[in-house]
Each structure stands twice: as C-alpha cells, then as structure tokens.
Amino acid sequence: MLAWTIYISFLGAALLMFLPGENPRPAKVAALLAALAGLACAAKGAIECHLHAGAGALTDVANANWIPELGIRYHLAADGISLVLVLLTGIAAVAGVLFSWNVENRSREFFALYLALIGGVYGVFLSVDLFLLFVFYEVAIIPKYFLIVIWGSTRREYGAMKLALYSFVGSAMVLVGLIAAYVMAGARTFDLAALAKVHFAPAFQNWAFIVVFVGFAILAGLWPFHTWAPTGHVAAPTAASMLLAGVVMKLGAYGALRVAMTLFPVGLHTWQNTIAVLAVVGIVYGALVALVQQDFKFVIGYSSVSHMGFVLLGLMTLTQIGLSGAVLQMFSHGIIAGLLFAVVGRMVYDRTHTRDLAVLQPKNLNQVLPFAAVTFVVGGAASMGLPGFSGFIAELQVLVGAWQTFPVFAVMAAVGILAGVAYTLRVLLKAFFAEGQVEAREPLHCPRISLPERAGALLLLGTTLLIGLCPQLLLDFITPSLNSPLMQPLWKAGTR
Amino acid sequence: MNLYLQYLTALAPEVIVVATALLVLVMDLVLVREKPFAQRVGLTGAIACMGCGLAMVWVELVPCSIHSAMLSVSPLTQWVKVPLLLLTIFAAVLSWNERFTRHAGEYFALLLLAAAGLMLLVSSESLLMIFVALELLSTSLYALAAFDKSGVASSEAALKYFLFGGMSAAFTLFGISLIYGIAGDIQLDVIATRLRGHPVEPVFYAALVMTLVGFAFKLAAAPFHLWAPDVYEGAPTPVASFIASGSKVAAFFVLARILLSAFPGARGTASLGGHLPGWAPLLMVLAVLSMVAGNVAAIVQTNVKRLLAYSAIAHAGYALLALLADRRHALSALLFYTITYAFTVLGAFAVVGVVEESGRKASLADFAGLSRRAPLLSFCMLVFMLSLAGIPPLSGFFGKFYVFTAAADTAPKLSLLWLVVLAVAASAVSLYYYLQVLKQIYAVAPAPASAWPRPALSARVAIVLLAAIVIVLGCVPDLLLGKISELLKSNSF
C-alpha cells in the first residue's frame, strides 16, 4: 500500500505532463486527487504497519531484484520514523495543492513537476536500498529548479540555480560516501540493514561520516551551508516554498539520520560535538537574522534554518529523547513552516504583491485579511513553541536531550527560542497589527480568502494542534523505531 | 575454400554494409538522378537504413566466432556492432530532412563506409587492421564533415578535423611501429605473450604514449581536444552527431581492447601514492584534464553545439575512468557508459538539428521558449540534458554511477577514490550548463513573431525513440548490463 504513494505521484505527474489542453481546472483537480490519494495511501499504510508490526522494525513494502550486476535491489520498507515523514509528506502535498489553486499560468506543467517532486520525496522516505534512496533523492532536485525558475518571484533564476547547485553538490558528497561504503564493505550490496552491520574501520568512518552527513545536511539547512534556503524559499512560488521547507529540508535530515549516522556510528561519535556546535549556531544565527529582515518571506526562510537547527541538535544528542524530539520536530516544522509560507506567499503576497514589511505596515492587514491574520497568529504561536502545538513538545524533547548530553548548548538553544518569540512577534506586529497611519492608507481591495486556502490552512492548523495535544499519536511510531535493531549501533556509539 | 567461406560469414555484416554503400551510390547515379531531391534522399536513405538493419539481423541471427591474426570475431564484438549499426540508422534517419547537400547518394554511401569502418575497428585483432579501419572511418568522416558546401564553417571544420586527425594517425602509426619493434608482432594477443614480464622501459613508454596520443585525438580527450568544438559546430548536424556517438563507442572499445588485451602487464598505477609507470597514469592525466577542461569551458558556451562538444570532452574523461578500473568491471562499465552516452548525445544533436531546420541557429537564445512550441521535443531534450548531467532515473546517471563504482573498486580498494571525487565534483559543475539550456527551453519566453514549422515526422519519431531508450536503459539498466556481463563471462574479448 505504501509503495503506491510513490507510484500515484509519478503517474499523476506523467498524466499531467501529457494531458492535452491549457485549461487549468482539470490539472488542479487531478493534482489534488493524486495528492489526496497519496495521503490516503500513506495513512492506510501507516495504520497497517502500526497494527501489524508495532515493534518499529523495518517492514518490507517492496523488494525485488533491480540491477543484479551491482547487487542493487528495488527495496522499499518503512519503520516508524519513515512513516511519520511519509505522513508529513502526504499532508504537505495536499496543502500545497490547495494553496496553489490560483496557479493559472502553465498549471499543467506546474502540477506535473509538483507531483514529481512529491513522488521523489516519498521514495526517499521509503527506500532502504541506498542506491534507490539516492535515485529518489536526486529525482527531487530537478523539479525544484523548474518550479522556482518558471513560477518564482524575487531573483528566481539566481535562487533556483543556487538551490539546484547546493543540492547537487550535497548529493555528490553523498554519492562519494555511498560508493566508498559499498566498496569498503565488499558485500556487493547497498542494503541499509546489511551495510549497517558492517564494522567499517574507524579512520574510514571518520571521513566518510562527515562527507555523507554534510552532504545530506546541506539540504537540512546546516549552518554554514544554509544560504540556499532563504534565497530559495523567497524565490520559490508558494507551494514550492511550502514543500521546500516542509518536506525537502527533511529529506536532508532524514538522510543524515538514516544513512550517515546509521552506517558510521564511530565517525558520528568523532564529529558529534562539532556538528552540535554548528546546529546551535544555526539555531541562534537563523533566529537573529530573521529578527532584522525586511522581507516577510525572508523572516520565515531564516526561521526555517533556526528550526532545522533543532532537528540537527536533537540528532546529535544521541539520546532517545533527543532523537525522538528531532523526528517530531521534522514533522512539526514541516507543518508549521508550510502554514507560515502559505500565509506569506499565497494569502498576503498574491494579493498585495509585496512582502516588504515597511510597505505592509500601513496596510492594516488584520482588517483586510482577517483570516490570514488569525492563521498567522496561531501559526506563529505554534512556531514559537507554545504549549498545545506540536512545536512545543518537539523542541522540549530536543532541549531535554541536549541538556543530558551538552548542557551549555541547551541553554544557547533556549536563547534561540527566545529570539524566535521575538521575531515572530515583530513580524506579526509589522505585517498585520501595525497601529497608526491608518489615515494614510488607501482602501485596499483584494479578493477574499478562498475556500481552498481556508481548507489548506485548517488542515495544517488542525494537524499541528492534534499533535500538540496528543503527541503520543506520533511518538507511538517514533519510540519503538528508535529501539529497533537498525538503530542499535547508534546507542552503542553514544555510550562509548 | 572452407576457410574463406568462414571468413565471409564472419564478415558478412561488414560486407552487407559496404555492398549497400555501393548500391546506394549506383542507385542515386543511375535510377533516381532526375527525381526530385526529397525522393532521392528518401530512397537512398531508406536503402542505407535497410542495409544497416540487414547487417544487424545477420549479427543477431548468425552466431560466429573466429580468431585469426587479423580478425577476432566473438559474440562480444559481434554484439557491439548492434548499437553501432543502430546509431548509424538513427544518424541516417536524422539526415533525411537536412537540406545541406544535393548529393544524396554520396552522403549515405560515405555514412555507410564510416559504419563499416566502425564495425571493422571493433573486431580487428592486429594493430595494422585497427589502423586501417580507423583510417576508413576517419576518411569518411572528414568528407562527411565537409558536406555542407553552402557555408565556410563546414569546410573549416572538415579541414581542422582532417589536419588533427592526420596528425593523430601519424602518432598512432609511430606508436604501432615502436610496439612492433619491441614485441616483434602486431597481433594483440601475441604482443601480450611476448611482453609478459617486460619492464616498462623508456622506448616501451614512448610507444604507449604515442599510441595513446593518437587515440586521445580520436576521443577528443584533453589536451588533444581542440578540434572538437569547431567540428561539432561546423559540420552538418547529423554528421556531428555521428562523430560524437558512433565513433566514440568504437574508439573506446578498441582502445580498451588494445590496452587490456595487448598490454595487461604494463598497467602501472594511477593512485596518488605509489606511482608505477604504465598506461594507467597516462589515462589518469587524460581523464583529469578532460573532466576539468571540458566542464570549465562548457560553462561559458553560448552555442549549444559547442556546449555539447565541451561536454563530450568531459564525458570522455569520465569514460576513461572506467578503463582504469579492474578488468572485471572495466569493460562492462565502459560499454554501458559509452553506448548510453552515444544514444543520449545523438538525441541532443537531433533536437539541435530540428531547431536549426526551423531557420534558427544553435545558440542558446534560439532555444528560448521551445517548450511552448514543441512540448514533446522539449521534453526529449530535457531527458537528454538531464541524462548527460547524470540525473536519475536516466541512463546517464547509472552509466556514471557504474563507472565511478568500478573505479573506486579498483584494487587496492579506494586507491582511485580521489579521481572519483574529482569526477563527481566535475559532474556537479556540469549541471549548471545543462540547466542553462533547459532554462532557455522552459523558463524563457519565446521570441514573439517567429515561425515554427512542424518538424518532419521521421525526425520526431527518431528523437522520441532515442529519449525512450535513454529512459528505459536508465530505469532498467539490466537490459543492457545483463547482456554485456553475460557476453563478458563467456569470453574476455
């Protein structure tokens, strides 16, 4: 069932690519149906896996010989961690289509690329043959480029190329590491579980780990390789920013956990502190830069860097609670960032045609677009990490884990949370609730918030609230997976 | 008598192709001289394709194995002729609608002779036969490159190609004579036995260098690549596509044969640490220079044909990595890589040809907004470009992946990893310029008032088929790889 998430997305993409006619309506409907079907498959697969194999071990979804010459298999499998991210992808995909309902220009191609990207993302989360994982990982790069360069806004050619090249350099590093691991293991297999059992020499692990980890972490917005993220987010059309921040950055974090950390635990131990430092710098730096941005979207872009810092910090704690927080934060940030980008890009920018906070200030948007204002208030609260939203429980877990491993960083990360409160409130005030100057503004006429937008916003808000109030729903998936045999080398390295 | 018959069966594919070449010439001269040009091209082209097809059928149906001082016909060499003939057919089909010549018969006859050269090259066993086949191929290609008499660029390209090619042939011949002097024979396997345990002394090294220089010219590997951009740009597009595809595959194959079967003992090492003289360090230098020079120069190109030329130089560098790999994987990686590359680059040239036919040039700006006018064609170009850049699930990706894995797997383990790192980095750079082409096609708006005549059916079908090959071989590489490894298991060459 889970494998159909991938097939439906790619089939939808192919169908849209060759659908005749320029009428945007069938394209939108088809894309929405494909995204919904993907979400349904993901949910059904998640429930099935949950019922049948509660232990959190990898459950096979598909396994067939692919390229026998190199021992490569078409092997899809899921455990709790990948299921959480597959669910996130499904939700983000549906929301993204809803928020792209106003794409009229070449909408067929838009949604075809969109679905191809989604299919690649599903594929990465479900692959356990590392060659296959890499294939899907690269499949996701190219649609991003086109989504930005064709439908983007501010400096789109620059942003798109920067994003594509950063991604490609990252995947090149991953490729080198994978080939080296394949050769060193000498087992003629790319299977994750088989390679994880190999004890690579420590000297080899030390360099291979950092190459593969950084290769993936570039996409997760690891400071100082994060610079593609804000420019890419700003240049991208709304749905693409939502996916970029919502799921593509998670590809990086997921790959870092699944591949780099699982295969090279000794190397992980060597680099643990260094990467934790980078993660904390990312948290604080991202938040502080977000505090002074004039472009509404840059604020959210840098806040993504900051929030993804929590994911990486959580991974580096090498404690159960820290890792669980990291995975939960991936989910939570995927939902919240998607929501915030939707408000900025779709609700505000598409109507006012500006994202400059100084220009937005006198427009008194809370009266013109009350729904957008309310959504942003709630989304901002979730982003700040207020209790009751998913971000709270995720960041709390990361901080607890960090406190156990490196207390100083926990304190610094907490400072990052404070800065997060500051920039969220600042942007909230400037964009929606600025006082005064009301007399100077001309009445702003803009279309009301449409039904798809409301539906998308409610979907995302509902998800973050649901997980915030009942985190156990996801923790039931995550916790057993952290104890699965696959993850055992990690804990051994952590306690060494 | 019996022996001759055996030779004739073994060489029947070549004989068929040459006979078709003569038939095409005579037909054009005698039967259809007065007919309209379109008919002449159609008829002669169709016969040329049929001849190649017949040769392919023969290769597939009549198993044959001969090993003599001149020729080595084995299932592997016979099989390699299939993609070569297929490439020739595609090149012929793409020439159908070109309007650069009035000499239909001569054109297709030369194309077929070049194909015969390719096929002979693949199954030659002696150095002299290799040289003769190489010259048959080259001479036909020089003439083909000059076929567009309407422009000076074509003549210039042909002259450049000829001068460089002549130089390279001289180097090769000199190298061969030195090898003969050392080993006392020109038959590949005899050379191997005579030279077993022979130290790589200066004269031997000079012989290797000379031979390799000649082949480096043919492969357009840096620093012997200077002819490639001008020839790719100036020659008629179908000819350029044939030079870039078919002749690459055959030249790489025969280079692998020479190095692996005649000089297995003179390999040397290309690892950064201990340096041992031999052909591996030479190939390493060529590979590094090609990857760097090709990719860097391609970044600044504004003409798509020149861009493809520089990318071809870079790809020659990647393919050379395969030759450095251990014997077990070297040949299959090389064959998979060069064959898929050939189909890809042929397709890319075909799209360029279609654009040129609409009255445009091949500059980047001429591709602006192509996706609005010809969505299917643009999608095919997307496939070709991304395959060249090495994006999965296209065949170019798996080709590169296999080559890199094979190179990294070379004993001692990871000794060539630095070359792999360089190659991976180079291919990350290459994404930039391939995306430049795609950006023009997909993101830039088309020039407002420009005609777009519907391209000919044959060209469209050929392009779509090529794109399908690139996609299918990328998704199911085992179709090609399984065949290659099966053949390699049954015989080494």
Side-chain angles (χ1 to χ4, degrees), chain A residues 276-290:
Chain A
V277 170
L278 294 182
V280 170
V281 170
I283 294 174
V284 177
Y285 172 88
L288 291 180
V289 175

Side-chain angles (χ1 to χ4, degrees), chain B residues 218-220 232 243-253 312 316 338 341:
Chain B
K218 268 257 106 41
L219 301 171
Y232 281 33
I243 293 175
S245 57
S247 96
K248 270 267 171 71
V249 177
F252 263 113
F253 182 77
T338 47
Y341 169 76

Side-chain angles (χ1 to χ4, degrees), chain A residues 92-103 110-111 114 238-239 242 338-339 341-343 345-347 350 371 375 449-450 452-460:
Chain A
V94 173
V97 176
L98 288 173
F99 282 110
S100 323
W101 213 251
N102 63 335
V103 173
F110 180 88
F111 286 112
Y114 180 88
T238 305
M242 290 174 66
L339 184 66
F341 273 118
V343 173
R346 174 70 181 93
M347 296 186 186
D350 282 356
F371 187 84
T375 311
I449 303 288
S450 65
E453 286 170 77
R454 284 169 198 266
L458 288 179
L459 172 68
L460 296 177

Side-chain angles (χ1 to χ4, degrees), chain A residues 17-18 22 66-70 72 105-106 108-109 113 131 134-139 141-142 145-146 149-150 156-157 160-161 164-165 167-169 171-173 175-188 190 204 207, chain B residues 328-329 332 371-372 375-376 379 382 386 389-393 397-398 400-402 404-405 408-410 413-414 417 420-421 424-425 427-433 435-436 438-439 441-444 474-478 481-482 485 489:
Chain A
M17 195 68 106
F18 297 106
E22 283 295 314
W66 186 16
I67 309 171
E69 187 72 10
L70 290 176
I72 295 168
N105 172 34
R106 300 165 76 179
R108 226 165 26 82
E109 292 164 80
L113 288 166
F131 178 83
F134 186 79
V135 165
F136 281 124
Y137 189 73
E138 292 239 310
V139 163
I141 293 179
I142 296 302
Y145 173 81
F146 285 109
V149 83
I150 301 179
R156 57 187 178 190
E157 293 188 6
M161 190 55 93
L165 290 184
S167 312
F168 211 51
V169 167
S171 67
M173 293 168 73
L175 181 64
V176 168
L178 285 188
I179 291 180
Y182 173 81
V183 169
M184 286 310 278
R188 287 174 41 78
F190 278 99
F204 171 73
W207 73 259
Chain B
R328 183 163 57 93
H329 282 306
S332 56
S371 74
R372 316 301 296 144
L376 190 60
F379 179 75
L382 177 87
L386 293 184
I391 302 288
F397 167 73
F398 184 73
K400 267 186 195 164
F401 181 84
Y402 192 19
F404 295 165
T405 309
D409 211 358
T410 308
K413 275 180 181 178
L414 298 189
L417 191 71
V420 175
V421 170
V424 171
S427 81
V429 170
S430 75
L431 183 69
Y432 174 80
Y433 55 82
L435 281 182
Q436 291 297 326
L438 295 177
K439 188 180 87 185
I441 293 178
Y442 278 95
V444 177
C475 292
V476 200
D478 204 40
L481 205 56
S485 60
K489 258 175 215 145

